[in-house]
Amino acid sequence: MKIVNLPCKLALFSLFFLLLTGCWDQTEVEQLAYVVAIGLDKPEDVKEGLVEITYLIANPQSGAKVGGDEPPREIISFSVNDFINARNLANTVIAKQISYDLLRFIIVSEEFAKDDDFIKWMYDATKATDFRRDLRILVSKESPSTFMQNNEPLVDKRPHKYFDLIFKRGKETGTIPPGELFSFYRITESDANVFLGVYATTEQEEEGARQEDSDQIIAGEFDSSGETNTTQFAGSAVFKEGKMIDTLTIEETRLSFLLSNIFEKPREILTAMPDPFDEDYQLTTRIQRDGNIDMNMDLEKEKPTIDVTVPIVLEVMTNHSMNNYSDDVKKREKLEDSLEDTLTQKFEDLIKKTQEEFGAEPFGWSLIARKEFLSIPEYEEFNWMKTYPEMEINVNVNLRIDKFGRQIRLPDLDEVRD
Amino acid sequence: MLQKLFRGKKEKRAYNGSKLDGDMSKDNSEKIDSELTKTVNIFKTIYSYPDNQDVTIRNIHINGLNKDGALLFISTITDTKVIDEYVIEPLLKNQDSEVKIDDLVSVPSISKTTAIADICTEVNNGSAVLFVDEETQAYILNASNFESRGIEKPENETVVKGPKEAFIEKASTNISLIRKRIKNENLVVETQTVSKRSNNVAYIVYIKNVTNDDIVDKVKSRLHTMDVDAVQNLSLLEQYIEESHVSIFPTVLNTERPDRAVSFLEDGYVVLLMDNSPDSLVVPATFWSFYHTSEDHYLRLPYGNFTRVLRLFALFVTLFTSALYVAVVTFHVEMIPPDLLLAIASTRELVPFPALFEVLLMEIAFELIREAGLRVPSPIGPTIGIVGALILGQAAVEANIVSPIVVIVVALGGLSSFAIGDISMNFAIRLSRFIFVIAAGVFGMYGMVALFTLGVFYLVSIRTFGVPYLAPMTPTYKSSKDTIFRKMLQNEIFRPGYMKPKDMKKK
């Protein structure tokens, strides 16, 4: 037998090594269809056990130099068993392999979210490997396919960009909760709190227009006009035990942010507060939580009590009653007291609502409460969800006024008019 | 002592050299004849006179002594003016009958010999030989004058701040450049003949009371075991004495800067010089010596370290950008930010090739431009740049052969590769880059990481003249820690410990 020399052997070895072990079945980027959002809905007139899936697919060609006139997105809806199976069925229409790499949202219709069976489909997402755990859950008032079709941003046309920006901004202003998938699972499984999903709609309500308080609205109630998109993202959808039960307004969502240590602090909550010096006007304030809230729990008693101290730092941005606070200590004290009272009242109202209407809190206080128990069984025995509505909760707002806008002084109106 | 060390080798060499024994000029036993005409005839045969054009034999009559004499030299490598003024003229004009030849001739160096072989060696090295009738010994007059160019600026290792002299093709000048920097009697320049037919000589330079004897001996033994007819210059010598001949990493440093060679000498390294080489070899060379430049130390500490950071960054960019692009685009799509992913996907939409092939295509094109640009005659040089950039970059993108992002990726990697100044390390990095691209195309990020790990294993395993390649980092040695970053000059106290210098402390 002829002896093959070493370089030859090495060349053969590396050739076979690459051929036998390499990943030759990979898919190139341009051969994938990127789903940005999946819609889940209960189909009408179809047998039980099916859901209507809607895919919102981003078109990479949009805005490109070559073929830039293609539309930025593609929407397809169909009924199927689940969204894992749907990947193959979608290919009867869509040419490319469906990829969930860019998937950021699951849009659920309000009707389906309120269904008892909803949670069963949500758990499909834990099975598929390419589902990110930080997907956001978005509840739309209408069906997801309608929502996606109606959602036509005029400027940020590319869907992934549009949703990214909306959520980034929503997080900063506190108008919508984070609504992440992993916290949905965690909260549902720990069975002590309610989960807040994002609430959105493309249908503007006629009669809801012109609310007295501009913050007391949910998506669909914001009255805007002009030439723009009709989609609104505002407020939260409340999920208890994996089922939607109610909604929270923008203000309530923001208050939840302030009352919770587990939510990231929104950077700029701009809101109006009553002016203690003139009933006609309101003060616009920028509110931030000044560090973590302090909780004092006494859970041993017959009626457990919780004392919550919320540190708030606040900036007064407008001053329509033209009071010069900086000159007068008494005025400042009065303002501080008034703002503290208003905020305390709002917090108490929200807590009362969660106790009476939801029977559970969205603030994640159960996590803090666990420390009060020596063992998990003791905590489970206590049953936070069941006890919560009975608790006595005292809210104390620790308010600090940071500044009065960039220019502190305002001219004396009488002198100006003189 | 050396002879004792290499006795075994010498015997082997003598046996191998037997083919030369027939060569008359090499017979050590043969002596010159006292009769001038006979001696001259012997040399006429040896040097094929008068067919050999530049071999000159000048017969003279020495006045005073009243003797005949003959001068033998090769005119092209001898300073004829010196022979004319200081040899021929005094001999012809002499009137004194008692004077010795040694006192007559006024060249700076004169010696006597009888063996024909020795005479031949001297004549081949540019000396003139004077035979005198009725004398059994010949006078060797040193008047050699080999042509070479003057000292110029370094071409490959340019610096902005620092000396701008470079080695030239004349070893004696190069040694002078080194001695100019180390004015110390302990600087030793030894010679060793490394080839048999052309008699090429290598100069081994080291500082006697710093450099470890083992390393000097190792270098000498490597030079000794070479068994070749001719070694023209150091670039060839390097390949005879290096550790592994197929390894892609260089183990001998080539530098054309005398200041760089001297800084190595002062740290206890051995420097080799040769005629016909406008550079020097530094042995042993660790990985870091290829990564450093002399300017790192000439610049102030923050500036020097800034260039080091840039170079390190460039090294990794060269190694990994193309591979990373291939890996991420083919296997790790979820790693890319959505905007970038869609941008890549949209540019790839019209490209007919898979990402791996696309990148390889551009890489090869880049290497082609580079090689062609190097070989092209200088008058048409500038055209290559324009043609390369325009045709291959712009047109390839417009024809949808490659995507614009690939052009950016390959150009970035290609440009960064120029930041690694040493040509050997430059090749090592450029070759590894191709392996990385293929690994990334077949196994993705996993392949890259595996290959990198293997590469580090390999780097750690290399030894050069007994010194670990990554020393003093791995394994750790006492040193001034001049590796990725350099320290303040005041804190560079130690010579590198892996060289085992006789004097460890610099300060």
Side-chain angles (χ1 to χ4, degrees):
Chain A
M1 197 180 83
K2 201 184 156 199
I3 294 165
V4 189
N5 61 357
L6 188 68
C8 198
K9 270 185 200 161
L10 276 177
L12 275 176
F13 171 75
S14 30
L15 180 71
F16 286 127
F17 180 69
L18 294 184
L19 281 179
L20 294 173
T21 60
C23 309
W24 301 105
D25 56 345
Q26 90 283 53
T27 321
E28 299 272 337
V29 269
E30 75 278 8
Q31 292 162 2
L32 297 171
Y34 298 101
V35 177
V36 173
I38 292 183
L40 278 182
D41 195 9
K42 216 175 178 178
E44 287 163 27
D45 325 320
V46 186
K47 76 174 175 79
E48 282 289 303
L50 285 185
V51 282
E52 189 184 66
I53 295 274
T54 309
Y55 279 149
L56 173 62
I57 297 169
N59 179 9
Q61 285 286 68
S62 162
K65 272 186 184 167
V66 187
D69 48 350
E70 287 182 16
R73 58 174 198 186
E74 202 172 356
I75 296 165
I76 174 176
S77 301
F78 50 97
S79 295
V80 74
N81 279 324
D82 52 74
F83 46 68
I84 295 168
N85 188 7
R87 296 173 73 157
N88 279 354
L89 273 177
N91 280 128
T92 47
V93 179
I94 307 286
K96 295 168 176 174
Q97 182 187 328
I98 301 290
S99 155
Y100 289 162
D101 288 330
L102 272 193
L103 184 60
R104 296 290 186 273
F105 314 100
I106 295 183
I107 305 175
V108 188
S109 70
E110 191 170 342
E111 191 198 344
F112 187 44
K114 285 180 171 166
D115 195 299
D116 282 333
D117 290 340
F118 166 67
I119 188 167
K120 296 176 185 169
W121 272 276
M122 282 310 285
Y123 267 90
D124 290 345
T126 61
K127 302 281 185 190
T129 47
D130 48 358
F131 264 82
R132 301 166 72 102
R133 288 294 182 269
D134 61 350
L135 292 181
R136 293 164 190 279
I137 297 175
L138 196 145
V139 175
S140 66
K141 200 188 272 178
E142 59 277 31
S143 83
S145 64
T146 324
F147 177 86
M148 288 184 210
Q149 279 167 44
N150 285 351
N151 176 32
E152 275 182 305
L154 283 178
V155 277
D156 300 301
K157 283 178 182 293
R158 297 186 302 158
H160 73 280
K161 195 79 189 167
Y162 170 76
F163 282 113
D164 259 1
L165 291 172
I166 279 274
F167 278 90
K168 187 167 165 279
R169 222 24 226 160
K171 200 171 104 186
E172 282 165 4
T173 57
T175 50
I176 47 174
E180 282 154 333
L181 187 66
F182 66 84
S183 52
F184 173 82
Y185 294 134
R186 182 181 61 73
I187 289 169
T188 309
E189 282 165 42
S190 69
D191 199 23
N193 304 66
V194 291
F195 166 78
L196 299 184
V198 181
Y199 195 70
T201 184
T202 54
E203 289 167 358
Q204 206 164 315
E205 268 178 40
E206 299 284 324
E207 77 276 16
R210 292 280 161 229
Q211 290 272 338
E212 199 165 293
D213 186 343
S214 57
D215 284 349
Q216 290 288 10
I217 53 163
I218 56 169
E221 291 175 1
F222 180 62
D223 186 17
S224 70
S225 56
E227 195 183 331
T228 183
N229 195 6
T230 54
T231 319
Q232 296 180 7
F233 292 78
S236 354
V238 183
F239 285 84
K240 189 183 180 188
E241 292 163 342
K243 183 182 164 189
M244 181 171 162
I245 50 166
D246 205 346
T247 53
L248 289 180
T249 62
I250 289 182
E251 189 181 272
E252 286 162 340
T253 308
R254 286 172 160 182
L255 291 172
S256 311
F257 271 111
L258 294 176
L259 274 176
S260 164
N261 280 348
I262 54 166
F263 289 130
E264 208 177 305
K265 281 188 285 186
R267 275 190 299 167
E268 50 167 300
I269 299 182
L270 292 171
T271 185
M273 303 280 253
D275 189 338
F277 299 97
D278 197 330
E279 282 182 13
D280 293 343
Y281 299 119
Q282 295 212 314
L283 297 168
T284 291
T285 56
R286 180 207 290 269
I287 302 181
Q288 278 187 309
R289 198 175 69 220
D290 196 9
N292 278 348
I293 58 162
D294 191 39
M295 304 205 70
N296 211 339
M297 297 188 181
D298 188 353
L299 307 173
E300 305 281 297
K301 277 196 279 184
E302 184 82 5
K303 185 174 180 155
T305 56
I306 302 179
D307 296 321
V308 188
T309 312
V310 191
I312 295 287
V313 59
L314 180 144
E315 187 180 340
V316 182
M317 307 286 282
T318 61
N319 186 359
H320 295 167
S321 59
M322 306 286 261
N323 277 299
N324 273 325
Y325 301 109
S326 55
D327 297 341
D328 198 335
V329 183
K330 279 193 179 143
K331 273 187 182 175
R332 286 209 298 272
E333 274 171 3
K334 189 180 174 194
L335 175 71
E336 229 175 85
D337 288 345
S338 146
L339 290 172
E340 242 176 44
D341 289 347
T342 318
L343 274 174
T344 313
Q345 188 57 48
K346 285 186 174 192
F347 283 138
E348 275 171 356
D349 287 350
L350 175 66
I351 290 168
K352 204 171 155 202
K353 185 179 177 183
T354 60
Q355 282 183 314
E356 286 172 4
E357 289 178 27
F358 308 158
E361 41 83 15
F363 321 119
W365 287 349
S366 67
L367 292 175
I368 303 170
R370 286 188 195 199
K371 293 177 193 161
E372 305 283 320
F373 300 93
L374 288 175
S375 63
I376 295 285
E378 264 179 63
Y379 165 76
E380 280 167 354
E381 176 75 18
F382 180 76
N383 199 341
W384 182 267
M385 179 98 94
K386 209 173 171 193
T387 330
Y388 175 75
E390 312 296 317
M391 284 182 207
E392 190 188 324
I393 298 166
N394 306 310
V395 182
N396 176 30
V397 174
N398 199 348
L399 185 119
R400 178 167 68 85
I401 297 180
D402 193 27
K403 48 186 172 183
F404 295 93
R406 190 178 54 156
Q407 180 184 314
I408 298 166
R409 266 168 187 283
L410 285 175
D412 193 328
L413 205 57
D414 293 340
E415 269 179 38
V416 174
R417 294 272 163 83
D418 188 19
Chain B
M1 187 197 88
L2 254 173
Q3 277 182 340
K4 217 184 270 173
L5 242 162
F6 303 130
R7 189 176 291 152
K9 300 268 165 62
K10 261 220 153 122
E11 277 162 12
K12 184 184 160 217
R13 216 177 156 218
Y15 169 76
N16 282 337
S18 62
K19 64 177 174 187
L20 291 177
D21 288 349
D23 198 334
M24 228 164 79
S25 64
K26 293 290 166 187
D27 196 343
N28 247 337
S29 57
E30 213 161 320
K31 301 247 165 11
I32 56 167
D33 203 284
S34 58
E35 199 176 317
L36 182 66
T37 44
K38 265 192 180 172
T39 311
V40 169
N41 279 333
I42 293 174
F43 283 96
K44 275 184 178 168
T45 341
I46 292 175
Y47 281 102
S48 321
Y49 187 85
D51 296 345
N52 221 346
Q53 280 296 314
D54 54 352
V55 175
T56 315
I57 295 174
R58 167 81 155 84
N59 294 309
I60 40 176
H61 180 74
I62 305 167
N63 274 335
L65 295 175
N66 205 18
K67 275 183 182 171
D68 276 334
L71 256 181
L72 166 70
F73 58 92
I74 302 173
S75 62
T76 46
I77 57 173
T78 322
D79 196 338
T80 45
K81 207 178 154 198
V82 171
I83 294 174
D84 199 37
E85 277 180 34
Y86 305 114
V87 183
I88 301 179
E89 213 178 286
L91 290 176
L92 290 177
K93 288 186 178 166
N94 179 42
Q95 300 298 329
D96 196 341
S97 57
E98 294 298 307
V99 78
K100 283 186 187 165
I101 298 280
D102 306 41
D103 303 333
L104 263 178
V105 178
S106 51
V107 287
S109 154
I110 185 163
S111 58
K112 288 176 226 166
T113 185
T114 52
I116 288 178
D118 290 349
I119 293 169
C120 284
T121 312
E122 291 298 331
V123 171
N124 293 345
N125 279 322
S127 297
V129 185
L130 175 67
F131 306 107
V132 182
D133 198 18
E134 290 164 27
E135 279 193 35
T136 51
Q137 51 187 4
Y139 298 89
I140 289 160
L141 316 165
N142 193 350
S144 71
N145 181 28
F146 285 95
E147 289 302 328
S148 90
R149 60 183 172 125
I151 296 170
E152 280 164 26
K153 281 187 178 184
E155 297 256 302
N156 306 326
E157 294 169 71
T158 46
V159 295
V160 178
K161 194 182 174 191
K164 294 189 175 58
E165 283 174 334
F167 285 132
I168 58 162
E169 283 83 352
K170 199 169 175 181
S172 57
T173 314
N174 294 350
I175 293 166
S176 151
L177 287 175
I178 288 177
R179 286 231 186 246
K180 189 169 98 180
R181 287 170 172 80
I182 307 176
K183 296 186 173 99
N184 192 305
E185 65 279 7
N186 285 309
L187 178 70
V188 179
V189 182
E190 284 187 36
T191 59
Q192 192 158 334
T193 310
V194 287
S195 66
K196 284 174 310 214
R197 207 173 269 277
S198 296
N199 285 321
N200 301 99
V201 173
Y203 296 82
I204 306 159
V205 188
Y206 58 93
I207 298 179
K208 195 169 63 186
N209 56 359
V210 172
T211 312
N212 188 289
D213 292 333
D214 280 350
I215 293 196
V216 179
D217 291 345
K218 244 179 221 158
V219 174
K220 284 180 185 165
S221 82
R222 288 265 171 97
L223 291 176
H224 211 94
T225 45
M226 286 171 56
D227 181 30
V228 280
D229 273 2
V231 182
Q232 265 200 32
N233 51 42
L234 286 175
S235 312
L236 300 172
L237 185 76
E238 178 187 345
Q239 294 171 51
Y240 283 110
I241 62 167
E242 70 187 346
E243 205 82 19
S244 166
H245 305 289
V246 287
S247 163
I248 63 167
F249 289 102
T251 50
V252 176
L253 176 71
N254 214 300
T255 177
E256 55 169 358
R257 299 186 59 88
D259 51 320
R260 189 132 199 252
V262 163
S263 74
F264 278 109
L265 277 176
E266 279 163 350
D267 274 349
Y269 290 78
V270 176
V271 168
L272 295 176
L273 293 170
M274 254 180 101
D275 268 321
N276 312 318
S277 302
D279 48 18
S280 62
L281 289 188
V282 177
V283 284
T286 60
F287 176 81
W288 306 109
S289 54
F290 296 101
Y291 163 67
H292 297 160
T293 70
S294 50
E295 201 167 21
D296 296 349
H297 271 85
Y298 296 150
L299 291 172
R300 296 185 53 241
L301 180 80
Y303 318 151
N305 278 333
F306 174 66
T307 57
R308 289 255 174 112
V309 171
L310 279 185
R311 207 171 306 130
L312 187 74
F313 179 69
L315 191 141
F316 282 112
V317 165
T318 314
L319 267 185
F320 293 132
T321 34
S322 306
L324 207 62
Y325 174 80
V326 172
V328 164
V329 166
T330 29
F331 295 105
H332 314 287
V333 176
E334 63 282 356
M335 274 177 64
I336 321 175
D339 272 337
L340 184 60
L341 171 61
L342 293 181
I344 293 174
S346 79
T347 56
R348 294 223 3 94
E349 199 109 349
L350 296 171
V351 176
F353 307 117
L356 170 67
F357 189 72
E358 196 187 351
V359 167
L360 279 180
L361 197 76
M362 273 317 275
E363 288 280 5
I364 290 167
F366 190 89
E367 293 293 329
L368 279 178
I369 298 175
R370 194 176 175 146
E371 184 61 20
L374 206 62
R375 307 289 163 219
V376 77
S378 46
I380 40 172
T383 338
I384 286 289
I386 300 160
V387 168
L390 274 182
I391 304 295
L392 281 164
Q394 192 67 25
V397 169
E398 268 171 26
N400 291 322
I401 301 294
V402 291
S403 56
I405 292 176
V406 167
V407 177
I408 299 173
V409 165
V410 171
L412 189 70
L415 277 183
S416 301
S417 75
F418 289 107
I420 303 135
D422 186 88
I423 186 157
S424 304
M425 189 49 85
N426 193 297
F427 270 113
I429 299 291
R430 272 157 63 199
L431 284 174
S432 339
R433 184 176 52 161
F434 278 99
I435 310 175
F436 270 107
V437 169
I438 291 166
V442 182
F443 302 107
M445 204 73 92
Y446 169 78
M448 282 174 67
V449 173
L451 183 66
F452 186 70
T453 316
L454 283 178
V456 172
F457 284 176
Y458 176 62
L459 274 180
V460 172
S461 77
I462 303 178
R463 291 178 91 82
T464 149
F465 290 86
V467 171
Y469 202 48
L470 286 182
M473 191 182 255
T474 313
T476 315
Y477 279 96
K478 199 173 188 180
S479 73
S480 288
K481 304 232 167 59
D482 185 15
T483 51
I484 293 175
F485 295 107
R486 80 169 180 90
K487 289 171 120 188
M488 268 198 294
L489 289 184
Q490 286 77 1
N491 292 345
E492 296 201 335
I493 303 171
F494 297 112
R495 295 204 162 79
Y498 50 86
M499 295 298 300
K500 304 201 170 47
K502 288 177 186 164
D503 183 8
M504 195 55 209
K505 279 190 95 173
K506 278 196 215 177
K507 293 189 175 96

